[in-house]
Amino acid sequence: MIDSAAEVHPEDRAANPYSSVVAAHPQPFYARLRDECPVAAMEGMPEGVHIISRYEDVKFALKHHEIFSSDFVAVDIGQDRPLIPLQIDPPEHAHYRRVMDPHLSAKELAHLEADARRLVNEVVDRFIDRGECDFHAEFSMPLPCLVFLSLTGLPLGELDRFLTWKDNIIRPETFDMDEAAAIRRQTGADMYAFFEDAIDQRAANGTDDIISRFMKTEVDGRLMSRDEMLDLCYLFILGGLDTVTATLDCSIAYLAQHPDHRRELVDDPSLIPNAVEELLRMQTPVMQVLRVVARPHRMHGVEMKPGDHAVVMLGSADTDPGEFGADADLVNLHREANRHLAFGGGPHRCLGSHLARLELRVALEVLHERIPDYRIAAGADLEYSPGIREIKSLPLVFA
Amino acid sequence: MKVRLDDELCVGHGRCYALAPDVFDADDQGHCVLRFDDEDLPERFVDVAKQAVANCPEDALAMEG
């Protein structure tokens, strides 16, 4: 196996986090980054991109939005406007979060648990008798989308359409930049049109789903505008689907290869909430978040200028022994202190984190109850995608 | 022993009320609310409170006394 540490080049103070070697096994890459160049340049890119990797530095960047801003549309993902609240800074950001957070709080989502459990069971029903599955295609991909459709009161039959949209936006099937941009724009237009309809329907006859509730929500003493509603739907698809898919892929691939840990969860399901956090920490499926430098800042002797970009390596922070101790690189289902940043931190802390946690917990509970013993099919080569660590195909065999 | 909360720092990770629901509650937004604000914690909750404090990613919580 090629060691991902080879993707760090301390002599040039450069690194390439977006290789498949890093995505598959990022821990050696992270360790070398933290130890040998805590602020690295992006290999093969012009100056002005800074990779931040130590826990304390990552936390600082997440907290200090006045230096590391999210206020940019640098990432063209087919959206018409900056995505609220993801691409807006405080103080305006806080107005949105104040009204959005309650709809996605742990308390508010508790009522969704029964639905989520039913959906997980239905997904498992489709393959359990076969004694094998492609976990990625048959579980990790559909589940978050089905939960999203259930939460938004949209027909579950829209599953395929949503999965196609999500793929078009996040990883369009082309290497041509212009073509990719065109696919994203077209998909964006289709999605806006679809949600225009959904919003119209709810305006005509109110239902009790999260879109209807947002339509009645006031921001700064006024109802949310149509554009804001659309932006929000866009954000849900972008933020809520692939991230949970990647977390499920990474978590189950780990447990399939570590039967002792899996057996612990089967024997004592009360460990599952802790396991969810520990796997989020160790795997950190969203490897990094991006910020733009708003004020001159110096970090480990590197000058950052306004307009520069910062690649804030959450995964590296989450395996930093400076924070997590000597066993930072090992999964410990009984870890006592776990201040992981897999959902980011600071004002932009993942809006959907409580929904994600619910999905992950219920998924691990049902899976280990119904399929206590599974392993990766012989000869399977797991290919992780960089950035958001999905596994393209995850063939499992049940015992 | 008391728990102290800096609510300027809390962003609603919700680790505290997940780990120690007897000690921490959530407001509408999902931010931390102390159940024993400015009061000594009952002895039986001290250990679980300490664990919750150690799991706050924003350093918004501290034990005191």
Side-chain angles (χ1 to χ4, degrees):
Chain A
M1 195 164 88
I2 308 167
D3 191 337
S4 64
E7 299 284 1
V8 183
H9 310 285
E11 65 285 4
D12 307 322
R13 209 182 51 75
N16 173 22
Y18 297 119
S19 83
S20 53
V21 178
V22 172
H25 189 44
Q27 289 81 14
F29 171 81
Y30 293 151
R32 192 167 190 204
L33 261 187
R34 287 188 308 259
D35 292 346
E36 297 183 41
C37 43
V39 177
M42 187 75 79
E43 189 187 351
M45 295 261 281
E47 261 181 65
V49 183
H50 311 287
I51 305 171
I52 300 173
S53 52
R54 289 188 186 165
Y55 185 87
E56 285 307 323
D57 298 332
V58 164
K59 198 151 159 170
F60 180 90
L62 294 172
K63 228 171 235 194
H64 291 273
H65 56 85
E66 73 286 357
I67 303 170
F68 296 100
S69 166
S70 295
D71 201 356
F72 66 125
V73 201
V75 188
D76 180 1
I77 39 182
Q79 78 277 41
D80 285 352
R81 294 166 294 270
L83 290 178
I84 52 170
L86 187 70
Q87 294 173 329
I88 295 176
D89 272 337
E92 205 192 346
H93 171 265
H95 301 312
Y96 289 108
R97 288 300 291 254
R98 206 163 291 137
V99 300
M100 293 166 81
D101 283 350
H103 296 293
L104 289 159
S105 73
K107 275 186 192 175
E108 182 61 33
L109 291 170
H111 77 275
L112 199 71
E113 175 156 349
D115 269 354
R117 197 169 296 275
R118 181 177 51 79
L119 291 169
V120 172
N121 273 300
E122 284 174 15
V123 170
V124 172
D125 284 342
R126 288 184 208 151
F127 56 69
I128 189 165
D129 291 338
R130 248 178 28 235
E132 59 174 23
C133 71
D134 178 345
F135 189 79
H136 172 74
E138 296 182 81
F139 189 96
S140 307
M141 283 271 277
L143 182 72
C145 201
L146 290 168
V147 172
F148 171 78
L149 292 169
S150 165
L151 183 69
T152 48
L154 294 165
L156 298 184
E158 300 288 357
L159 177 66
D160 288 342
R161 191 205 305 245
F162 273 74
L163 291 177
T164 307
W165 280 344
K166 171 189 74 84
D167 279 343
N168 284 351
I169 299 273
I170 296 175
R171 42 183 78 85
E173 271 186 33
T174 171
F175 291 107
D176 184 281
M177 298 277 274
D178 292 337
E179 218 174 293
I183 293 175
R184 288 193 169 113
R185 265 195 309 277
Q186 182 55 51
T187 304
D190 292 347
M191 277 167 47
Y192 282 124
F194 178 89
F195 281 110
E196 283 271 10
D197 275 354
I199 293 169
D200 285 342
Q201 284 172 24
R202 281 158 183 74
N205 37 29
T207 47
D208 185 35
D209 58 63
I210 202 165
I211 299 181
S212 303
R213 268 175 269 149
F214 271 117
M215 289 169 69
K216 294 176 205 140
T217 296
E218 288 192 4
V219 187
D220 254 352
R222 56 167 179 84
L223 284 176
M224 281 180 96
S225 71
R226 177 60 68 115
D227 281 351
E228 285 167 336
M229 285 297 310
L230 288 170
D231 294 350
L232 197 58
C233 294
Y234 210 99
L235 176 72
F236 280 167
I237 295 203
L238 213 67
L241 305 185
D242 249 35
T243 49
V244 180
T245 298
T247 311
L248 287 165
D249 282 350
C250 290
S251 300
I252 294 300
Y254 177 85
L255 290 168
Q257 295 170 91
H258 296 81
D260 290 350
H261 280 143
R262 191 178 66 241
R263 222 157 286 136
E264 263 194 277
L265 300 185
V266 172
D267 292 344
D268 182 4
S270 74
L271 278 174
I272 288 179
N274 219 28
V276 166
E277 300 303 324
E278 180 64 352
L279 290 166
L280 277 164
R281 180 190 75 80
M282 188 63 193
Q283 300 293 333
T284 308
V286 179
M287 293 170 61
Q288 80 289 307
V289 293
L290 303 180
R291 295 290 188 265
V292 66
V293 178
R295 281 187 199 166
H297 186 71
R298 204 181 149 90
M299 196 181 263
H300 299 291
V302 178
E303 301 292 344
M304 303 180 179
K305 299 186 302 295
D308 286 359
H309 284 195
V311 179
V312 183
M313 269 300 158
L314 303 176
S316 173
D318 281 349
T319 46
D320 188 341
E323 166 65 18
F324 297 98
D327 69 344
D329 259 0
L330 299 172
V331 168
N332 172 2
L333 301 179
H334 304 272
R335 190 174 293 279
E336 289 280 323
N338 186 356
R339 306 191 298 166
H340 73 75
L341 301 170
F343 291 115
H348 288 281
R349 189 266 308 163
C350 171
L351 176 64
S353 64
H354 300 297
L355 178 59
R357 285 184 161 121
L358 173 70
E359 291 178 51
L360 296 166
R361 175 172 60 77
V362 171
L364 292 193
E365 285 171 1
V366 173
L367 280 167
H368 292 96
E369 193 188 303
R370 298 189 64 186
I371 311 174
D373 203 0
Y374 53 89
R375 60 187 157 74
I376 292 171
D381 183 22
L382 305 188
E383 193 182 332
Y384 289 72
S385 53
I388 300 178
R389 301 177 58 220
E390 290 192 353
I391 303 174
K392 282 188 181 155
S393 170
L394 179 52
L396 293 184
V397 181
F398 316 143
Chain B
M1 241 183 174
K2 292 176 183 166
V3 187
R4 229 186 30 220
L5 163 69
D6 182 342
D7 47 24
E8 292 288 302
L9 292 178
C10 177
V11 297
H13 287 269
R15 300 289 292 129
C16 54
Y17 48 84
L19 288 164
D22 292 320
V23 182
F24 304 96
D25 194 7
D27 65 12
D28 284 352
Q29 203 180 342
H31 288 191
C32 174
V33 175
L34 299 178
R35 291 191 191 273
F36 300 92
D37 197 6
D38 224 25
E39 280 175 64
D40 275 323
L41 279 177
E43 193 53 39
R44 65 184 187 285
F45 295 149
V46 168
D47 283 347
V48 75
K50 281 184 183 165
Q51 199 206 345
V53 167
N55 278 277
C56 174
E58 305 292 334
D59 309 312
L61 294 169
M63 299 299 290
E64 201 177 61

